Amino acid sequence: MSTPFIEEDNPLFNNDGSSSLHETVDKLFNSNVGEYVALPIIVAIGDQSSGKSSVLEGLTNLPFLQPSSTASASHKKKVEEWHSDNVENLTAQEFENIVHEAHITMELDSGNQNSMYSRDVLRLEISGPQQSHFSVVDVPGIFRSSTPGRTTKEDQAMVKQIMEEYMESPRSIMLAVVPANVDIATQEVLEMARHVDAEGSRTLGVLTKPDLVDPGTEGAIMDLIKCKSHKLALGWCVVRNPGQLQLVDGTIDRQVLEEKFFQEKSPWNELPKDRVGISELRKRLRVVLTKSIRRAFPEMELEIQKKLTEAKQAMEELGPSRETPSDQMCYAMQLGADYHKIAMAAINANYGDEKMFEEDQHLRFATWLKNRNELFNQTMIDHGHKYEFQANEEVIYIGSRQQDVLKNGTAKRSPAGDPVELRTCRDHPDLVAITSEKSTVLKANGRDRLEWLTKLYNENVGFGIPTVDSPLVAKVVKQQTEKWKLIAKNYISDVVTMAHTFVTEVLDRLTPTDRVFEGLMEAIWRDLTHKYRQAMHEVDRLVVIETVAPPFTLDHNYSEALERSRQARYQANMNEKAFRDPNLGPVVRMQDTVISTSLSNSERGILDVHDMVKAYYEVARKRFTDNVIREACLYVLVSSKDSPLKVFSQNYARRLNKDMLEKIAGEDDEAKATRGKKQQEISRLEAGKRILDEHNQWGR
């Protein structure tokens, strides 16, 4: 149990402005800002048998109580609501009555099975013309063994934890109370103090029970008081508390008893006068506390401002209160507006207005999509065909004389069978039933194309001469384009994954809690997955059109490409028959311009099929690539009014029913509790800030 005492209006502080400092600290305690910012305070620590309670009684002139229980919700409410005020004359008896009443409220042990200790804090504020500014926390004393029916190991651990929490505060002045008749080196409280205050800059040692020190052993205590051993920056004091019989007597004046001891008893009468007695200890504590307050105020101002900013930011992230359906609708519509603004900025590559795009480059959707489209196009160019086509500069001899003659060292061929990765995005766990698994394709075969064409020709040619719409050409085109589906499905899977990643990451950033995010995803999930599947099905449809339907085109590029192939072959033949004239350069005799070939009709047909398929393939590949990008990607997933990136908006929120609104925007008990705590924190921090501002304005 912790007991802060606050006393006021002692002339001792009026000469140096200390009164204003202490009044400000009193106000800060009253505002409860100390729950969030450490305030300068004296913490009395020591063993149960150290005489700590007697020291505090001497400092405050009040009989200190002994320790309380763990807290249920009803217990907390009862303790928080309890108070006792308007006590005009606080006598010792009146104080004991108040303590007894608090004792019952805090459910401290009174012969039943309740614990003797509690985390509840009994705060006493005492004011009057003869009172001085003085704030002290009395934490329970350390004990090392439990007493059946009275204390437990859990009590022991709780007491130590409470003590450590107060000691760790950088603005706590530790009043370490130690009996003078024990070995100082064995005192756990001093070791605990050293752990949090290695230099001893905020530890003031107090020795008790000097009257019990064995004669002849006082030297070690003298050295301690004179700072010759176990040095502390704030030094050591020694007090002589009344014994148990003297306390029972009730007629003994503590001050008279103590003054007589330190004046008459040797060697205690040899100690510096400002280091002995409860009165000198009280003076020293006031000075130490005043200095601590002066140092702490500038730091506290900054700390309060920082915590206030953080608390307000947390409240902004929680959004406005959402208890009524109207509140929930307003919240959902605002969320829809915020999301739609970011989504449109991502689609239009207008990244400058949103810091979200700076924090996460992956949210720059338009830029990512442009790069992915270009990669898809290049993959189709490099790996969309099963077999490499003949380069225009090649001359092909068919049958037993088959050979490739590569002019000018061009037309490099990739090794057959090397795999090519098709996906660039990781699989998203939400989409395993929609997108394609990561796949690879083999690089185009550049060595067996003529064997392939010859085999297909011999197996499928009819009576007539092959044309572009003949079944033979259609079969060749179908085999040559068989990788298109895999490449396109992996491409659109990447786009679906990226669109879904964008939607989920942006909404996750905009929503304050998992409940809001999960409720929103539940609301839009069906619409999202419908568009994702539509994009995948659109690719399937385009693949069927290009690979199953008969080859067809009105594109003039087909006839131009076909003519280029034939002209290139003719030119290659002429180059073989040319000779070099010193004046004219390469020259071909007129009779050599008429090509005489030993090719059979079948061999000529194979070359014609090759040239037709090559010309048609280029037209079809460009058309297919454009259609997949425009129809499956840009229209279904990006630009349509119900695309995944646009599915959530103000209008969408307006159409939500009451139950879905509650799921999305309704606050659960945890969120309500968090909001209440943050509102209380802001209120108390703002009160603390006002108090410090007033002090800065009037108190300096």
Side-chain angles (χ1 to χ4, degrees):
M1 181 185 59
S2 306
T3 311
F5 277 84
I6 300 175
E7 307 181 15
E8 302 177 351
D9 304 329
N10 189 308
L12 176 67
F13 296 100
N14 293 336
N15 295 332
D16 61 359
S18 298
S19 178
S20 174
L21 289 173
H22 288 266
E23 285 175 4
T24 300
V25 172
D26 290 349
K27 292 176 182 177
L28 290 173
F29 273 110
N30 287 333
S31 73
N32 292 312
V33 73
E35 291 188 22
Y36 313 101
V37 178
L39 300 178
I41 197 167
I42 296 169
V43 179
I45 56 176
D47 285 5
Q48 276 192 347
S49 58
S50 63
K52 176 171 63 69
S53 294
S54 294
V55 172
L56 291 176
E57 289 176 9
L59 289 172
T60 61
N61 295 319
L62 291 171
F64 263 61
L65 66 161
Q66 296 295 321
S68 141
S69 71
T70 56
S72 63
S74 60
H75 171 82
K76 287 182 178 179
K77 186 173 186 298
K78 181 172 66 174
V79 171
E80 289 172 357
E81 291 177 350
W82 182 87
H83 67 282
S84 178
D85 51 16
N86 299 323
V87 179
E88 295 183 1
N89 184 21
L90 188 62
T91 63
Q93 185 58 51
E94 184 65 31
F95 178 70
E96 287 185 6
N97 293 339
I98 292 173
V99 168
H100 179 69
E101 186 179 344
H103 208 107
I104 296 172
T105 302
M106 296 165 73
E107 299 179 3
L108 297 176
D109 181 71
S110 57
N112 54 25
Q113 296 302 311
N114 291 339
S115 171
M116 293 181 62
Y117 300 94
S118 172
R119 283 189 165 276
D120 298 326
V121 177
L122 173 60
R123 184 177 183 279
L124 303 175
E125 179 179 347
I126 306 169
S127 60
Q130 302 303 318
Q131 300 294 339
S132 60
H133 288 285
F134 191 67
S135 302
V136 63
V137 174
D138 177 29
V139 296
I142 298 174
F143 62 95
R144 292 165 187 78
S145 60
S146 57
T147 302
R150 296 288 293 172
T151 59
T152 65
K153 290 184 177 179
E154 288 75 15
D155 291 334
Q156 184 180 350
M158 181 176 67
V159 166
K160 190 170 183 180
Q161 185 179 11
I162 292 173
M163 182 181 291
E164 288 173 343
E165 288 172 1
Y166 278 100
M167 293 172 69
E168 286 170 357
S169 172
R171 299 188 184 107
S172 292
I173 302 299
M174 290 176 284
L175 189 65
V177 181
V178 179
N181 62 332
V182 300
D183 185 358
I184 297 298
T186 65
Q187 293 299 289
E188 184 179 2
V189 67
L190 294 179
E191 184 59 35
M192 292 173 66
R194 272 195 297 268
H195 181 69
V196 297
D197 181 31
E199 297 179 357
S201 59
R202 54 187 186 88
T203 304
L204 175 59
V206 178
L207 292 166
T208 61
K209 305 180 182 180
D211 51 313
L212 300 182
V213 175
D214 292 334
T217 62
E218 300 93 338
I221 305 301
M222 299 296 108
D223 290 342
L224 201 65
I225 302 298
K226 297 175 182 178
C227 294
K228 293 182 179 180
S229 65
H230 204 99
K231 295 182 180 180
L232 297 174
L234 300 182
W236 288 84
C237 292
V238 60
V239 298
R240 200 284 196 196
N241 295 324
Q244 190 61 38
L245 293 177
Q246 294 163 332
L247 288 173
V248 172
D249 186 323
T251 61
I252 302 297
D253 186 310
R254 178 200 172 105
Q255 185 170 349
V256 172
L257 176 70
E258 192 173 43
E259 287 179 354
K260 182 177 180 181
F261 178 82
F262 287 114
Q263 288 174 359
E264 299 177 358
K265 192 71 172 177
S266 178
W268 307 105
N269 55 4
E270 300 172 8
L271 292 172
K273 300 305 179 185
D274 62 346
R275 292 287 179 174
V276 298
I278 200 73
S279 297
E280 294 301 323
L281 174 60
R282 186 184 297 114
K283 292 178 184 178
R284 182 168 294 277
L285 284 173
R286 290 170 185 160
V287 172
V288 168
L289 186 58
T290 300
K291 289 181 178 179
S292 176
I293 293 171
R294 289 190 191 280
R295 289 194 304 267
F297 269 18
E299 298 172 356
M300 288 164 56
E301 289 181 65
L302 295 175
E303 193 172 339
I304 287 175
Q305 184 58 57
K306 179 182 177 182
K307 289 184 178 293
L308 185 58
T309 301
E310 292 173 349
K312 288 181 176 180
Q313 179 64 36
M315 282 293 289
E316 287 181 10
E317 292 174 357
L318 284 173
S321 177
R322 308 187 298 276
E323 293 190 8
T324 68
S326 176
D327 292 340
Q328 293 164 7
M329 176 61 74
C330 290
Y331 176 78
M333 290 180 63
Q334 184 60 54
L335 198 60
D338 293 342
Y339 171 80
H340 185 72
K341 178 183 176 183
I342 295 170
M344 294 309 298
I347 291 171
N348 298 321
N350 184 18
Y351 306 129
D353 296 337
E354 291 291 340
K355 66 177 183 179
M356 198 177 292
F357 297 121
E358 294 297 326
E359 295 171 351
D360 189 347
Q361 299 286 320
H362 292 91
L363 296 181
R364 300 187 171 206
F365 187 82
T367 303
W368 178 91
L369 186 57
K370 169 186 173 294
N371 295 333
R372 188 61 183 90
N373 288 343
E374 291 177 353
L375 178 61
F376 171 51
N377 181 55
Q378 194 61 48
T379 303
M380 288 292 295
I381 292 172
D382 294 341
H383 309 296
H385 45 284
K386 183 174 182 179
Y387 292 92
E388 293 281 7
F389 288 105
Q390 171 204 359
N392 284 341
E393 64 271 22
E394 291 180 295
V395 177
I396 299 182
Y397 298 94
I398 304 299
S400 62
R401 294 168 294 160
Q402 174 183 326
Q403 56 179 319
D404 290 344
V405 180
L406 305 180
K407 302 295 185 180
N408 303 319
T410 59
K412 295 181 179 178
R413 298 288 176 251
S414 301
D418 290 351
V420 177
E421 294 281 350
L422 297 179
R423 291 286 299 275
T424 63
C425 294
R426 297 178 181 175
D427 292 327
H428 197 291
D430 291 350
L431 306 175
V432 290
I434 298 175
T435 56
S436 298
E437 293 184 0
K438 288 189 175 183
S439 307
T440 61
V441 293
L442 299 179
K443 293 184 178 180
N445 190 317
R447 296 176 293 183
D448 302 328
R449 58 189 172 199
L450 291 180
E451 290 88 336
W452 166 64
L453 277 175
T454 301
K455 184 175 184 296
L456 283 179
Y457 186 90
N458 291 335
E459 292 175 351
N460 296 278
V461 70
F463 294 112
I465 299 173
T467 61
V468 70
D469 60 347
S470 69
L472 172 60
V473 173
K475 191 171 188 66
V476 175
V477 169
K478 183 175 182 179
Q479 289 196 16
Q480 188 70 328
T481 60
E482 66 183 23
K483 292 192 287 184
W484 285 13
K485 181 176 182 178
L486 195 60
I487 295 172
K489 292 296 285 282
N490 276 263
Y491 156 74
I492 204 67
S493 293
D494 269 356
V495 180
V496 166
T497 299
M498 190 58 198
H500 188 66
T501 300
F502 177 87
V503 172
T504 54
E505 289 196 9
V506 171
L507 289 178
D508 184 55
R509 287 169 177 260
L510 292 177
T511 50
T513 65
D514 290 343
R515 172 190 167 93
V516 178
F517 173 76
E518 291 166 3
L520 186 53
M521 289 304 299
E522 180 182 345
I524 66 176
W525 179 248
R526 184 175 179 180
D527 295 317
L528 286 177
T529 54
H530 171 71
K531 299 304 290 187
Y532 297 155
R533 288 191 171 93
Q534 183 181 344
M536 302 297 290
H537 293 158
E538 185 64 19
V539 170
D540 289 333
R541 186 183 71 85
L542 293 171
V543 169
V544 170
I545 291 173
E546 291 293 351
T547 62
V548 176
F552 175 80
T553 182
L554 294 176
D555 193 332
H556 65 86
N557 287 312
Y558 167 73
S559 57
E560 292 177 1
L562 182 59
E563 186 60 29
R564 281 196 302 272
S565 293
R566 291 169 175 170
Q567 289 294 332
R569 184 174 292 107
Y570 180 81
Q571 181 67 43
N573 275 281
M574 292 302 99
N575 288 340
E576 286 201 338
K577 297 176 180 181
F579 62 91
R580 190 164 195 81
D581 182 273
N583 297 317
L584 301 176
V587 174
V588 178
R589 296 182 181 88
M590 181 64 71
Q591 62 270 28
D592 291 338
T593 60
V594 179
I595 298 178
S596 176
T597 179
S598 60
L599 293 178
S600 67
N601 288 341
S602 294
E603 291 169 340
R604 170 60 64 185
I606 291 172
L607 287 180
D608 288 343
V609 169
H610 172 277
D611 292 345
M612 283 187 286
V613 172
K614 178 181 179 183
Y616 180 78
Y617 179 90
E618 289 301 309
V619 171
R621 177 187 56 75
K622 293 176 182 178
R623 180 177 62 206
F624 176 73
T625 302
D626 285 346
N627 286 342
V628 169
I629 292 175
R630 291 182 69 252
E631 297 178 32
C633 170
L634 295 182
Y635 178 71
V636 176
L637 295 176
V638 180
S639 62
S640 63
K641 65 179 181 180
D642 57 348
S643 76
L645 271 67
K646 298 178 184 177
V647 71
F648 185 56
S649 63
Q650 277 185 309
N651 288 334
Y652 191 97
R654 190 179 288 113
R655 298 193 300 270
L656 293 170
N657 60 42
K658 183 178 179 181
D659 291 339
M660 190 55 71
L661 266 179
E662 174 62 29
K663 280 187 177 182
I664 294 173
E667 290 186 309
D668 56 20
D669 292 340
E670 182 180 356
K672 291 176 183 177
T674 299
R675 183 184 299 280
K677 288 179 181 179
K678 285 300 173 185
Q679 287 173 335
Q680 184 181 71
E681 180 179 353
I682 290 171
S683 175
R684 291 176 175 179
L685 288 169
E686 286 179 336
K689 184 176 184 300
R690 286 194 300 270
I691 291 168
L692 288 178
D693 288 343
E694 291 172 1
H695 171 78
N696 291 337
Q697 184 176 1
W698 306 107
R700 289 180 177 176

